[in-house]
Amino acid sequence: DWGLQGLGHRYAHQLSGGQLQRMAWIRASIHKPALILADEPTSHLDRNSALHFHERVRACARSGCTVLISTHDQELADLCDEVYTLTARGLVHVS
């Protein structure tokens, strides 16, 4: 449950940042694409929603979807199979 029930009649400008991020993930993942690109997908989420998002990313990856994430969220990065850090010298493979 993402807490979006009853919001289908609202316009995007009437939703919070977290609601918009949750809706974006649903739209991106609903058709089970091969690749999802996510830029700071947890930046406007509260702790519980972020944990729910982490679970959804792992489930998506287990089903064969590649999820490429740009994030400052260390907990989310720790869940990833591979982590790269962008530094002044370029891209560095971390794990």
Side-chain angles (χ1 to χ4, degrees):
D1 176 21
W2 283 69
L4 298 173
Q5 298 80 1
L7 299 178
H9 67 283
R10 295 195 182 176
Y11 293 102
H13 72 273
Q14 296 172 314
L15 300 175
S16 71
Q19 290 168 332
L20 289 170
Q21 283 189 305
R22 293 191 301 269
M23 186 60 68
W25 175 260
I26 292 167
R27 283 193 317 258
S29 64
I30 197 161
H31 294 292
K32 301 189 184 332
L35 173 67
I36 295 177
L37 303 175
D39 182 21
E40 293 292 351
T42 59
S43 63
H44 292 295
L45 299 182
D46 60 56
R47 176 89 173 121
N48 288 335
S49 294
L51 291 173
H52 192 201
F53 176 80
H54 296 169
E55 293 170 13
R56 294 291 177 117
V57 169
R58 294 303 297 167
C60 188
R62 282 192 301 274
S63 72
C65 178
T66 297
V67 183
L68 181 62
I69 300 170
S70 165
T71 187
H72 288 93
D73 180 345
Q74 190 59 51
E75 286 185 62
L76 181 56
D78 290 343
L79 294 173
C80 295
D81 295 327
E82 291 190 47
V83 176
Y84 295 85
T85 300
L86 184 60
T87 69
R89 295 178 305 197
L91 199 59
V92 177
H93 186 255
V94 176
S95 63

